[in-house]
Amino acid sequence: MKTILITGAAGDVGTHLRRELAGKYTLRLSDLRPLTPAKGEKFARADISRMADALRITRGVDAIVHLGGYSVEGPWEGILSANIIGCYNMFEAARKNKVKRILFATSNHAVGFYPRKQTIDHRVYIKPDGRYGVSKVFGEAMGSLYSDKYGMQVFLMRIGNVNPAPIDKRRLSIWLSPRDLAQLVTIGIEHPDIRFEIVYGVSRNKRSWYDNSNAHRLGYKPQDDSEHYASEILAKEGPGNAIGDRYQGGAFTHVEAVPNPAPLPKARAAKKPAKKPAKKVVKKAQKK
Ligand code: 15L
């Protein structure tokens, strides 16, 4: 049985994926946040913005599903640390530890400034819709470099929105059900001819904005279609936004931050400054 490392395993996508892949692979999990591993899983807490951590978690695995990172539009510091430095560390640690295959969760936001009225495939020029989208483009570029220069097998999944059911009108076009996610990831792990591939991580949605023929060529046969939920979703859709409604990336195209579904643990987000020694003690020390 192959040993697969899933980074960002405590997040929403990671949680769905773990459940779907249980029993198929030996799962090694990592995250900055704590996580209770299920039977058969092993968890290692890691901050991938530190190379030593990235090296530690990638040792001895057959493939990596790299989900970890800052998962929405937000402040540059968080994106820089997790998605630029962390992503670099993951590819470099994989290379150093001779892990041949890496599946990277890029995002629809790498191409979010394409208009909704346009159908795009995996060959379109990138059009990120924010700092987060730019960081995903960086990850795609890392994949291209490590494939061409080091022969790594790279599977880039431009993921839409993973949820048990679509949550709004935009997500009717980019929804990815957990079981379709698992099918796509399995292809990324198992397909014998992966060198460098870009696919869209979406279900068989009637309203899709993507020509996902590259994924289909590799054997992807999604089972779910968001259309079953369409009337219910559209009936409760709130007022839109002129810019967001025009582009595939939605709100990411016109706001500076989207509520972060995976905030850092408090202890790391705001480290207390070290206590200064009391003044008297300082004076004594100086006299010595
Ligand atoms: C993403 O890339 C995010 O990781 C996810 O949290 C959602 O916001 C998703 O895109 C989306 O566009 O719905």
Side-chain angles (χ1 to χ4, degrees), residues 177-214:
S177 71
R179 66 174 171 172
D180 286 342
L181 163 76
Q183 187 196 143
L184 194 62
V185 166
T186 305
I187 290 170
I189 294 170
E190 300 294 343
H191 199 288
D193 301 322
I194 304 286
R195 184 65 195 256
F196 175 81
E197 300 293 347
I198 299 177
V199 296
Y200 288 93
V202 288
S203 284
R204 195 168 48 89
N205 306 322
K206 188 175 161 214
R207 292 165 194 251
S208 178
W209 298 315
Y210 308 118
D211 166 355
N212 208 7
S213 48
N214 200 37

Side-chain angles (χ1 to χ4, degrees), residues 100-214:
K100 275 296 255 181
R101 192 166 288 208
I102 184 157
L103 287 68
F104 173 58
T106 173
S107 167
N108 69 93
H109 296 290
V111 287
F113 255 119
Y114 277 96
R116 294 187 184 193
K117 58 176 191 243
Q118 188 175 345
T119 300
I120 59 173
D121 71 8
H122 59 290
R123 285 171 293 215
V124 292
Y125 192 70
I126 43 126
K127 266 191 178 290
D129 56 24
R131 291 173 289 276
Y132 168 71
V134 166
S135 75
K136 290 298 177 182
V137 169
F138 173 82
E140 295 189 4
M142 283 297 293
S144 176
L145 173 67
Y146 275 62
S147 168
D148 287 338
K149 194 163 182 176
Y150 305 115
M152 204 174 267
Q153 299 162 354
V154 176
F155 192 67
L156 302 178
M157 302 172 290
R158 285 186 182 153
I159 295 184
N161 186 265
V162 180
N163 254 308
I167 52 175
D168 60 16
K169 185 178 173 206
R170 188 174 79 86
R171 271 60 171 245
L172 288 173
S173 298
I174 64 167
W175 179 55
L176 176 59
S177 71
R179 66 174 171 172
D180 286 342
L181 163 76
Q183 187 196 143
L184 194 62
V185 166
T186 305
I187 290 170
I189 294 170
E190 300 294 343
H191 199 288
D193 301 322
I194 304 286
R195 184 65 195 256
F196 175 81
E197 300 293 347
I198 299 177
V199 296
Y200 288 93
V202 288
S203 284
R204 195 168 48 89
N205 306 322
K206 188 175 161 214
R207 292 165 194 251
S208 178
W209 298 315
Y210 308 118
D211 166 355
N212 208 7
S213 48
N214 200 37

